Amino acid sequence: MSNYSRIRITAAAAAVIGALTITACGGSGDSVVDKPKAKASAKADSGQQAKKKAAEKEAAPEVAKTGDTLALKGMEDGSKLDVTVVKVVDNAKSGDEFTAPESGNRWIAVQFQLVNTGTKAYTDSPQNGAQVADDQGQQFQTTFAEVTAGPSMSSAVRLKPGAKALGWIVFEVPKASKVATVQFAMDSGFAEQTGEWQLT
């Protein structure tokens, strides 16, 4: 085999490995989901009201906020969750006398509801896939804390299809930070889709 042939084979192999690496890391498929699922209407709108609402929707794209549900996908086929940010408590209080935020910091507690809408069991530690960001773009990870707002999200959630989990996830942020968004992704944050809710 000539040197030229060896170089061509080596270059081709490197290109294949590079493509596989990009695919495995998510590549250009990563996306932020911030359009909430439609809520069930209590009564049917008349034709005129429906047209007006459709026009308003086109004029101002809806962005997920507290109370909204986002449909997210995991890395595997059949791995899906409906994730809702139910409530947010700024400056959450400790649920015990032993833990507290560090000096100069405060706790933001976010209550999440997870519903397995997929065909596979969901097993994960949801805290690993959650973070908040302030209006300056600084991002903050979760901290282990019990708060008076209610029970914490389990650190080992296992849901069969159709099952749900509800709990609080706590973030420690500087007192001066204005928290603007909260994000959640499946597979401990490694899924290609990340849900984002506006908090301000």
Side-chain angles (χ1 to χ4, degrees):
M1 184 183 288
S2 69
N3 281 344
Y4 177 73
S5 296
R6 284 194 185 100
I7 290 169
R8 284 184 62 192
I9 290 169
T10 304
V16 169
I17 290 168
L20 289 173
T21 302
I22 289 170
T23 303
C25 294
S28 60
D30 289 1
S31 63
V32 174
V33 177
D34 63 0
K35 183 161 180 58
K37 290 183 73 173
K39 294 179 182 176
S41 180
K43 59 180 181 179
D45 290 323
S46 69
Q48 206 64 347
Q49 286 174 324
K51 285 179 186 174
K52 186 178 176 184
K53 284 190 176 178
E56 287 172 358
K57 217 169 192 181
E58 285 178 19
E62 200 174 1
V63 176
K65 295 179 177 164
T66 303
D68 288 329
T69 301
L70 297 177
L72 300 177
K73 295 178 183 175
M75 291 190 290
E76 296 182 29
D77 287 341
S79 180
K80 297 179 184 178
L81 285 180
D82 272 2
V83 182
T84 307
V85 168
V86 182
K87 294 177 188 173
V88 178
V89 175
D90 197 340
N91 202 21
K93 304 302 177 194
S94 177
D96 61 56
E97 58 186 290
F98 306 107
T99 55
E102 287 185 21
S103 179
N105 290 349
R106 74 188 194 278
W107 285 342
I108 305 288
V110 180
Q111 188 182 40
F112 285 93
Q113 177 177 273
L114 314 177
V115 180
N116 187 349
T117 56
T119 56
K120 292 191 171 184
Y122 168 77
T123 303
D124 201 3
S125 180
Q127 292 88 341
N128 294 340
Q131 66 180 13
V132 294
D134 67 13
D135 58 355
Q136 301 301 307
Q138 296 178 101
Q139 297 180 336
F140 305 97
Q141 304 300 321
T142 60
T143 187
F144 289 104
E146 296 288 334
V147 291
T148 57
S152 296
M153 179 69 75
S154 171
S155 60
V157 172
R158 293 177 181 83
L159 301 175
K160 65 182 181 182
K164 64 184 177 181
L166 179 69
W168 292 87
I169 295 177
V170 181
F171 307 86
E172 186 162 340
V173 303
K175 285 183 178 176
S177 289
K178 185 176 180 183
V179 175
T181 61
V182 59
Q183 292 186 336
F184 180 87
M186 296 178 66
D187 302 308
S188 287
F190 289 101
E192 291 181 5
Q193 283 190 334
T194 299
E196 181 175 275
W197 293 260
Q198 294 289 332
L199 300 182
T200 56

mmCIF file of all heavy atoms in Angstrom, residues 14-65:
data_model
loop_
_atom_site.group_PDB
_atom_site.id
_atom_site.type_symbol
_atom_site.label_atom_id
_atom_site.label_comp_id
_atom_site.label_asym_id
_atom_site.label_seq_id
_atom_site.Cartn_x
_atom_site.Cartn_y
_atom_site.Cartn_z
ATOM 1 N N ALA A 14 -10.171 9.524 10.557
ATOM 2 C CA ALA A 14 -10.231 10.665 11.472
ATOM 3 C C ALA A 14 -11.535 11.429 11.285
ATOM 4 O O ALA A 14 -12.157 11.880 12.260
ATOM 5 C CB ALA A 14 -9.045 11.595 11.242
ATOM 6 N N ALA A 15 -11.992 11.572 10.045
ATOM 7 C CA ALA A 15 -13.247 12.282 9.771
ATOM 8 C C ALA A 15 -14.431 11.537 10.370
ATOM 9 O O ALA A 15 -15.333 12.141 10.957
ATOM 10 C CB ALA A 15 -13.441 12.453 8.264
ATOM 11 N N VAL A 16 -14.434 10.189 10.256
ATOM 12 C CA VAL A 16 -15.523 9.383 10.818
ATOM 13 C C VAL A 16 -15.539 9.498 12.341
ATOM 14 O O VAL A 16 -16.582 9.700 12.955
ATOM 15 C CB VAL A 16 -15.386 7.902 10.379
ATOM 16 C CG1 VAL A 16 -16.330 7.018 11.169
ATOM 17 C CG2 VAL A 16 -15.655 7.775 8.889
ATOM 18 N N ILE A 17 -14.355 9.394 12.968
ATOM 19 C CA ILE A 17 -14.264 9.501 14.430
ATOM 20 C C ILE A 17 -14.733 10.878 14.880
ATOM 21 O O ILE A 17 -15.463 11.014 15.862
ATOM 22 C CB ILE A 17 -12.822 9.215 14.907
ATOM 23 C CG1 ILE A 17 -12.504 7.723 14.720
ATOM 24 C CG2 ILE A 17 -12.637 9.618 16.368
ATOM 25 C CD1 ILE A 17 -11.050 7.369 14.875
ATOM 26 N N GLY A 18 -14.341 11.922 14.151
ATOM 27 C CA GLY A 18 -14.772 13.283 14.498
ATOM 28 C C GLY A 18 -16.276 13.431 14.422
ATOM 29 O O GLY A 18 -16.911 14.026 15.287
ATOM 30 N N ALA A 19 -16.884 12.851 13.377
ATOM 31 C CA ALA A 19 -18.343 12.930 13.212
ATOM 32 C C ALA A 19 -19.050 12.198 14.338
ATOM 33 O O ALA A 19 -20.052 12.671 14.879
ATOM 34 C CB ALA A 19 -18.747 12.354 11.860
ATOM 35 N N LEU A 20 -18.515 11.019 14.709
ATOM 36 C CA LEU A 20 -19.115 10.252 15.806
ATOM 37 C C LEU A 20 -19.007 11.004 17.124
ATOM 38 O O LEU A 20 -19.937 11.005 17.934
ATOM 39 C CB LEU A 20 -18.452 8.880 15.928
ATOM 40 C CG LEU A 20 -18.766 7.889 14.801
ATOM 41 C CD1 LEU A 20 -17.904 6.643 14.958
ATOM 42 C CD2 LEU A 20 -20.238 7.510 14.795
ATOM 43 N N THR A 21 -17.873 11.671 17.337
ATOM 44 C CA THR A 21 -17.687 12.433 18.569
ATOM 45 C C THR A 21 -18.682 13.579 18.650
ATOM 46 O O THR A 21 -19.294 13.821 19.686
ATOM 47 C CB THR A 21 -16.249 12.995 18.648
ATOM 48 O OG1 THR A 21 -15.335 11.896 18.569
ATOM 49 C CG2 THR A 21 -16.024 13.772 19.931
ATOM 50 N N ILE A 22 -18.879 14.297 17.534
ATOM 51 C CA ILE A 22 -19.833 15.404 17.513
ATOM 52 C C ILE A 22 -21.234 14.891 17.791
ATOM 53 O O ILE A 22 -21.990 15.469 18.562
ATOM 54 C CB ILE A 22 -19.779 16.141 16.151
ATOM 55 C CG1 ILE A 22 -18.456 16.916 16.052
ATOM 56 C CG2 ILE A 22 -20.966 17.077 15.980
ATOM 57 C CD1 ILE A 22 -18.175 17.482 14.691
ATOM 58 N N THR A 23 -21.600 13.755 17.189
ATOM 59 C CA THR A 23 -22.919 13.172 17.405
ATOM 60 C C THR A 23 -23.098 12.778 18.855
ATOM 61 O O THR A 23 -24.131 13.046 19.470
ATOM 62 C CB THR A 23 -23.124 11.929 16.507
ATOM 63 O OG1 THR A 23 -22.926 12.317 15.149
ATOM 64 C CG2 THR A 23 -24.519 11.357 16.669
ATOM 65 N N ALA A 24 -22.096 12.147 19.447
ATOM 66 C CA ALA A 24 -22.187 11.688 20.833
ATOM 67 C C ALA A 24 -22.306 12.854 21.799
ATOM 68 O O ALA A 24 -22.970 12.772 22.819
ATOM 69 C CB ALA A 24 -20.961 10.848 21.192
ATOM 70 N N CYS A 25 -21.674 13.986 21.466
ATOM 71 C CA CYS A 25 -21.714 15.138 22.367
ATOM 72 C C CYS A 25 -22.916 16.034 22.136
ATOM 73 O O CYS A 25 -23.028 17.084 22.731
ATOM 74 C CB CYS A 25 -20.448 15.976 22.185
ATOM 75 S SG CYS A 25 -18.979 15.080 22.706
ATOM 76 N N GLY A 26 -23.776 15.651 21.238
ATOM 77 C CA GLY A 26 -24.962 16.449 20.998
ATOM 78 C C GLY A 26 -24.840 17.301 19.751
ATOM 79 O O GLY A 26 -25.828 17.599 19.106
ATOM 80 N N GLY A 27 -23.625 17.714 19.399
ATOM 81 C CA GLY A 27 -23.400 18.477 18.186
ATOM 82 C C GLY A 27 -24.314 19.676 18.087
ATOM 83 O O GLY A 27 -24.556 20.383 19.037
ATOM 84 N N SER A 28 -24.847 19.917 16.877
ATOM 85 C CA SER A 28 -25.704 21.072 16.646
ATOM 86 C C SER A 28 -27.146 20.767 17.006
ATOM 87 O O SER A 28 -28.018 21.586 16.806
ATOM 88 C CB SER A 28 -25.599 21.491 15.172
ATOM 89 O OG SER A 28 -26.018 20.416 14.355
ATOM 90 N N GLY A 29 -27.419 19.564 17.556
ATOM 91 C CA GLY A 29 -28.787 19.193 17.906
ATOM 92 C C GLY A 29 -29.246 19.781 19.220
ATOM 93 O O GLY A 29 -30.424 19.716 19.562
ATOM 94 N N ASP A 30 -28.325 20.374 20.022
ATOM 95 C CA ASP A 30 -28.698 20.934 21.315
ATOM 96 C C ASP A 30 -29.673 22.096 21.121
ATOM 97 O O ASP A 30 -29.501 22.903 20.219
ATOM 98 C CB ASP A 30 -27.468 21.431 22.065
ATOM 99 C CG ASP A 30 -26.605 20.279 22.563
ATOM 100 O OD1 ASP A 30 -26.969 19.123 22.302
ATOM 101 O OD2 ASP A 30 -25.575 20.534 23.190
ATOM 102 N N SER A 31 -30.699 22.160 21.974
ATOM 103 C CA SER A 31 -31.670 23.233 21.851
ATOM 104 C C SER A 31 -32.245 23.599 23.213
ATOM 105 O O SER A 31 -32.278 22.783 24.123
ATOM 106 C CB SER A 31 -32.801 22.827 20.900
ATOM 107 O OG SER A 31 -33.503 21.716 21.426
ATOM 108 N N VAL A 32 -32.680 24.863 23.329
ATOM 109 C CA VAL A 32 -33.357 25.347 24.526
ATOM 110 C C VAL A 32 -34.842 25.434 24.207
ATOM 111 O O VAL A 32 -35.238 26.089 23.246
ATOM 112 C CB VAL A 32 -32.810 26.718 24.968
ATOM 113 C CG1 VAL A 32 -33.623 27.277 26.127
ATOM 114 C CG2 VAL A 32 -31.345 26.601 25.361
ATOM 115 N N VAL A 33 -35.651 24.754 25.000
ATOM 116 C CA VAL A 33 -37.098 24.738 24.811
ATOM 117 C C VAL A 33 -37.709 25.720 25.808
ATOM 118 O O VAL A 33 -37.509 25.591 27.013
ATOM 119 C CB VAL A 33 -37.675 23.315 25.049
ATOM 120 C CG1 VAL A 33 -39.184 23.312 24.935
ATOM 121 C CG2 VAL A 33 -37.045 22.324 24.088
ATOM 122 N N ASP A 34 -38.432 26.723 25.307
ATOM 123 C CA ASP A 34 -39.068 27.679 26.216
ATOM 124 C C ASP A 34 -40.514 27.985 25.835
ATOM 125 O O ASP A 34 -41.131 28.887 26.383
ATOM 126 C CB ASP A 34 -38.256 28.982 26.309
ATOM 127 C CG ASP A 34 -38.171 29.720 24.976
ATOM 128 O OD1 ASP A 34 -38.733 29.246 23.971
ATOM 129 O OD2 ASP A 34 -37.537 30.801 24.938
ATOM 130 N N LYS A 35 -41.064 27.205 24.894
ATOM 131 C CA LYS A 35 -42.471 27.390 24.504
ATOM 132 C C LYS A 35 -43.319 26.399 25.280
ATOM 133 O O LYS A 35 -43.192 25.194 25.115
ATOM 134 C CB LYS A 35 -42.644 27.190 23.002
ATOM 135 C CG LYS A 35 -44.067 27.446 22.550
ATOM 136 C CD LYS A 35 -44.140 27.699 21.070
ATOM 137 C CE LYS A 35 -45.555 27.966 20.613
ATOM 138 N NZ LYS A 35 -46.181 29.085 21.276
ATOM 139 N N PRO A 36 -44.203 26.904 26.152
ATOM 140 C CA PRO A 36 -44.981 25.992 26.997
ATOM 141 C C PRO A 36 -46.031 25.210 26.242
ATOM 142 O O PRO A 36 -46.479 25.625 25.171
ATOM 143 C CB PRO A 36 -45.631 26.927 28.020
ATOM 144 C CG PRO A 36 -45.652 28.265 27.373
ATOM 145 C CD PRO A 36 -44.481 28.308 26.429
ATOM 146 N N LYS A 37 -46.401 24.071 26.807
ATOM 147 C CA LYS A 37 -47.504 23.291 26.265
ATOM 148 C C LYS A 37 -48.797 24.073 26.455
ATOM 149 O O LYS A 37 -48.964 24.786 27.435
ATOM 150 C CB LYS A 37 -47.619 21.942 26.993
ATOM 151 C CG LYS A 37 -46.495 20.980 26.684
ATOM 152 C CD LYS A 37 -46.703 19.662 27.378
ATOM 153 C CE LYS A 37 -47.825 18.885 26.711
ATOM 154 N NZ LYS A 37 -47.955 17.514 27.246
ATOM 155 N N ALA A 38 -49.723 23.905 25.521
ATOM 156 C CA ALA A 38 -51.012 24.589 25.623
ATOM 157 C C ALA A 38 -51.785 24.069 26.821
ATOM 158 O O ALA A 38 -51.785 22.869 27.099
ATOM 159 C CB ALA A 38 -51.814 24.380 24.338
ATOM 160 N N LYS A 39 -52.431 24.984 27.534
ATOM 161 C CA LYS A 39 -53.254 24.588 28.670
ATOM 162 C C LYS A 39 -54.667 24.307 28.183
ATOM 163 O O LYS A 39 -55.159 24.966 27.273
ATOM 164 C CB LYS A 39 -53.276 25.704 29.722
ATOM 165 C CG LYS A 39 -51.920 25.930 30.366
ATOM 166 C CD LYS A 39 -51.967 27.046 31.364
ATOM 167 C CE LYS A 39 -50.585 27.282 31.959
ATOM 168 N NZ LYS A 39 -50.537 28.407 32.864
ATOM 169 N N ALA A 40 -55.321 23.332 28.802
ATOM 170 C CA ALA A 40 -56.694 22.992 28.422
ATOM 171 C C ALA A 40 -57.604 24.159 28.763
ATOM 172 O O ALA A 40 -57.574 24.697 29.861
ATOM 173 C CB ALA A 40 -57.149 21.742 29.163
ATOM 174 N N SER A 41 -58.429 24.557 27.789
ATOM 175 C CA SER A 41 -59.355 25.665 27.994
ATOM 176 C C SER A 41 -60.619 25.185 28.692
ATOM 177 O O SER A 41 -61.127 24.107 28.398
ATOM 178 C CB SER A 41 -59.713 26.286 26.636
ATOM 179 O OG SER A 41 -60.598 27.350 26.807
ATOM 180 N N ALA A 42 -61.129 25.988 29.612
ATOM 181 C CA ALA A 42 -62.324 25.614 30.367
ATOM 182 C C ALA A 42 -63.559 25.612 29.485
ATOM 183 O O ALA A 42 -64.468 24.820 29.669
ATOM 184 C CB ALA A 42 -62.524 26.582 31.528
ATOM 185 N N LYS A 43 -63.606 26.510 28.485
ATOM 186 C CA LYS A 43 -64.758 26.537 27.582
ATOM 187 C C LYS A 43 -64.280 26.881 26.183
ATOM 188 O O LYS A 43 -63.268 27.528 25.988
ATOM 189 C CB LYS A 43 -65.798 27.548 28.064
ATOM 190 C CG LYS A 43 -65.284 28.961 28.169
ATOM 191 C CD LYS A 43 -66.392 29.897 28.664
ATOM 192 C CE LYS A 43 -65.861 31.328 28.736
ATOM 193 N NZ LYS A 43 -66.875 32.271 29.182
ATOM 194 N N ALA A 44 -65.071 26.472 25.204
ATOM 195 C CA ALA A 44 -64.690 26.698 23.817
ATOM 196 C C ALA A 44 -64.846 28.171 23.469
ATOM 197 O O ALA A 44 -65.812 28.815 23.859
ATOM 198 C CB ALA A 44 -65.565 25.844 22.898
ATOM 199 N N ASP A 45 -63.881 28.722 22.725
ATOM 200 C CA ASP A 45 -63.973 30.118 22.299
ATOM 201 C C ASP A 45 -64.847 30.229 21.055
ATOM 202 O O ASP A 45 -64.927 29.302 20.251
ATOM 203 C CB ASP A 45 -62.563 30.651 21.939
ATOM 204 C CG ASP A 45 -61.695 30.799 23.170
ATOM 205 O OD1 ASP A 45 -62.236 31.179 24.221
ATOM 206 O OD2 ASP A 45 -60.481 30.538 23.055
ATOM 207 N N SER A 46 -65.454 31.388 20.904
ATOM 208 C CA SER A 46 -66.184 31.647 19.668
ATOM 209 C C SER A 46 -65.147 31.866 18.576
ATOM 210 O O SER A 46 -63.977 32.109 18.843
ATOM 211 C CB SER A 46 -67.065 32.888 19.820
ATOM 212 O OG SER A 46 -66.248 34.041 19.912
ATOM 213 N N GLY A 47 -65.579 31.826 17.317
ATOM 214 C CA GLY A 47 -64.653 31.990 16.193
ATOM 215 C C GLY A 47 -63.883 33.283 16.258
ATOM 216 O O GLY A 47 -62.687 33.329 16.002
ATOM 217 N N GLN A 48 -64.546 34.391 16.636
ATOM 218 C CA GLN A 48 -63.924 35.711 16.698
ATOM 219 C C GLN A 48 -62.861 35.754 17.790
ATOM 220 O O GLN A 48 -61.772 36.274 17.581
ATOM 221 C CB GLN A 48 -65.020 36.750 16.980
ATOM 222 C CG GLN A 48 -64.708 38.148 16.492
ATOM 223 C CD GLN A 48 -64.587 38.262 14.978
ATOM 224 O OE1 GLN A 48 -64.502 37.279 14.256
ATOM 225 N NE2 GLN A 48 -64.527 39.470 14.492
ATOM 226 N N GLN A 49 -63.165 35.180 18.965
ATOM 227 C CA GLN A 49 -62.206 35.163 20.073
ATOM 228 C C GLN A 49 -60.981 34.325 19.710
ATOM 229 O O GLN A 49 -59.854 34.680 20.037
ATOM 230 C CB GLN A 49 -62.863 34.600 21.330
ATOM 231 C CG GLN A 49 -63.847 35.557 21.986
ATOM 232 C CD GLN A 49 -64.571 34.903 23.143
ATOM 233 O OE1 GLN A 49 -64.878 33.712 23.096
ATOM 234 N NE2 GLN A 49 -64.856 35.672 24.181
ATOM 235 N N ALA A 50 -61.222 33.198 19.043
ATOM 236 C CA ALA A 50 -60.117 32.320 18.645
ATOM 237 C C ALA A 50 -59.176 33.035 17.686
ATOM 238 O O ALA A 50 -57.954 32.934 17.798
ATOM 239 C CB ALA A 50 -60.666 31.049 18.008
ATOM 240 N N LYS A 51 -59.743 33.798 16.728
ATOM 241 C CA LYS A 51 -58.917 34.543 15.772
ATOM 242 C C LYS A 51 -58.095 35.606 16.487
ATOM 243 O O LYS A 51 -56.923 35.808 16.190
ATOM 244 C CB LYS A 51 -59.807 35.195 14.699
ATOM 245 C CG LYS A 51 -60.342 34.217 13.671
ATOM 246 C CD LYS A 51 -61.209 34.932 12.677
ATOM 247 C CE LYS A 51 -61.862 33.934 11.730
ATOM 248 N NZ LYS A 51 -62.825 34.583 10.827
ATOM 249 N N LYS A 52 -58.735 36.294 17.446
ATOM 250 C CA LYS A 52 -58.048 37.344 18.195
ATOM 251 C C LYS A 52 -56.878 36.765 18.988
ATOM 252 O O LYS A 52 -55.781 37.313 19.011
ATOM 253 C CB LYS A 52 -59.036 38.043 19.129
ATOM 254 C CG LYS A 52 -58.454 39.243 19.842
ATOM 255 C CD LYS A 52 -59.499 39.908 20.710
ATOM 256 C CE LYS A 52 -58.868 41.051 21.492
ATOM 257 N NZ LYS A 52 -59.810 41.673 22.417
ATOM 258 N N LYS A 53 -57.119 35.618 19.649
ATOM 259 C CA LYS A 53 -56.069 34.979 20.438
ATOM 260 C C LYS A 53 -54.924 34.504 19.549
ATOM 261 O O LYS A 53 -53.762 34.604 19.910
ATOM 262 C CB LYS A 53 -56.646 33.809 21.242
ATOM 263 C CG LYS A 53 -57.435 34.274 22.447
ATOM 264 C CD LYS A 53 -57.794 33.122 23.342
ATOM 265 C CE LYS A 53 -58.508 33.621 24.594
ATOM 266 N NZ LYS A 53 -58.914 32.544 25.470
ATOM 267 N N ALA A 54 -55.258 33.957 18.370
ATOM 268 C CA ALA A 54 -54.226 33.494 17.435
ATOM 269 C C ALA A 54 -53.358 34.658 16.986
ATOM 270 O O ALA A 54 -52.138 34.546 16.891
ATOM 271 C CB ALA A 54 -54.874 32.806 16.234
ATOM 272 N N ALA A 55 -53.995 35.812 16.711
ATOM 273 C CA ALA A 55 -53.244 37.002 16.282
ATOM 274 C C ALA A 55 -52.326 37.492 17.401
ATOM 275 O O ALA A 55 -51.174 37.864 17.159
ATOM 276 C CB ALA A 55 -54.215 38.110 15.876
ATOM 277 N N GLU A 56 -52.816 37.466 18.643
ATOM 278 C CA GLU A 56 -51.992 37.890 19.780
ATOM 279 C C GLU A 56 -50.804 36.968 19.972
ATOM 280 O O GLU A 56 -49.707 37.407 20.294
ATOM 281 C CB GLU A 56 -52.843 37.901 21.062
ATOM 282 C CG GLU A 56 -53.826 39.053 21.117
ATOM 283 C CD GLU A 56 -54.781 38.935 22.298
ATOM 284 O OE1 GLU A 56 -54.678 37.935 23.043
ATOM 285 O OE2 GLU A 56 -55.609 39.837 22.476
ATOM 286 N N LYS A 57 -51.038 35.668 19.746
ATOM 287 C CA LYS A 57 -49.973 34.680 19.918
ATOM 288 C C LYS A 57 -48.856 34.905 18.902
ATOM 289 O O LYS A 57 -47.675 34.786 19.197
ATOM 290 C CB LYS A 57 -50.559 33.274 19.767
ATOM 291 C CG LYS A 57 -49.943 32.261 20.691
ATOM 292 C CD LYS A 57 -50.735 30.986 20.679
ATOM 293 C CE LYS A 57 -50.286 30.099 21.818
ATOM 294 N NZ LYS A 57 -50.993 28.837 21.849
ATOM 295 N N GLU A 58 -49.251 35.229 17.643
ATOM 296 C CA GLU A 58 -48.260 35.470 16.599
ATOM 297 C C GLU A 58 -47.484 36.753 16.880
ATOM 298 O O GLU A 58 -46.299 36.848 16.626
ATOM 299 C CB GLU A 58 -48.961 35.559 15.236
ATOM 300 C CG GLU A 58 -49.393 34.201 14.702
ATOM 301 C CD GLU A 58 -50.125 34.316 13.380
ATOM 302 O OE1 GLU A 58 -49.984 35.361 12.711
ATOM 303 O OE2 GLU A 58 -50.841 33.376 13.021
ATOM 304 N N ALA A 59 -48.179 37.777 17.400
ATOM 305 C CA ALA A 59 -47.529 39.064 17.665
ATOM 306 C C ALA A 59 -46.520 38.972 18.808
ATOM 307 O O ALA A 59 -45.482 39.596 18.771
ATOM 308 C CB ALA A 59 -48.582 40.111 17.983
ATOM 309 N N ALA A 60 -46.849 38.211 19.833
ATOM 310 C CA ALA A 60 -45.961 38.093 21.004
ATOM 311 C C ALA A 60 -45.725 36.627 21.334
ATOM 312 O O ALA A 60 -46.566 35.996 21.953
ATOM 313 C CB ALA A 60 -46.587 38.804 22.200
ATOM 314 N N PRO A 61 -44.582 36.060 20.905
ATOM 315 C CA PRO A 61 -44.297 34.644 21.178
ATOM 316 C C PRO A 61 -44.305 34.370 22.680
ATOM 317 O O PRO A 61 -43.752 35.126 23.458
ATOM 318 C CB PRO A 61 -42.893 34.439 20.598
ATOM 319 C CG PRO A 61 -42.689 35.578 19.658
ATOM 320 C CD PRO A 61 -43.519 36.709 20.167
ATOM 321 N N GLU A 62 -44.967 33.302 23.041
ATOM 322 C CA GLU A 62 -45.093 32.960 24.450
ATOM 323 C C GLU A 62 -43.816 32.301 24.956
ATOM 324 O O GLU A 62 -43.210 31.486 24.279
ATOM 325 C CB GLU A 62 -46.273 32.003 24.619
ATOM 326 C CG GLU A 62 -46.806 31.941 26.021
ATOM 327 C CD GLU A 62 -48.063 31.084 26.116
ATOM 328 O OE1 GLU A 62 -48.488 30.534 25.102
ATOM 329 O OE2 GLU A 62 -48.582 30.968 27.230
ATOM 330 N N VAL A 63 -43.412 32.690 26.143
ATOM 331 C CA VAL A 63 -42.232 32.118 26.785
ATOM 332 C C VAL A 63 -42.673 31.516 28.112
ATOM 333 O O VAL A 63 -43.495 32.081 28.823
ATOM 334 C CB VAL A 63 -41.159 33.205 27.020
ATOM 335 C CG1 VAL A 63 -39.979 32.637 27.780
ATOM 336 C CG2 VAL A 63 -40.693 33.794 25.697
ATOM 337 N N ALA A 64 -42.126 30.351 28.440
ATOM 338 C CA ALA A 64 -42.518 29.659 29.669
ATOM 339 C C ALA A 64 -42.177 30.469 30.911
ATOM 340 O O ALA A 64 -41.108 31.066 31.005
ATOM 341 C CB ALA A 64 -41.847 28.297 29.730
ATOM 342 N N LYS A 65 -43.128 30.479 31.847
ATOM 343 C CA LYS A 65 -42.955 31.150 33.134
ATOM 344 C C LYS A 65 -43.411 30.199 34.238
ATOM 345 O O LYS A 65 -43.817 29.074 33.955
ATOM 346 C CB LYS A 65 -43.783 32.439 33.154
ATOM 347 C CG LYS A 65 -43.292 33.448 32.133
ATOM 348 C CD LYS A 65 -44.113 34.703 32.140
ATOM 349 C CE LYS A 65 -43.506 35.679 31.133
ATOM 350 N NZ LYS A 65 -44.375 36.764 30.775
#
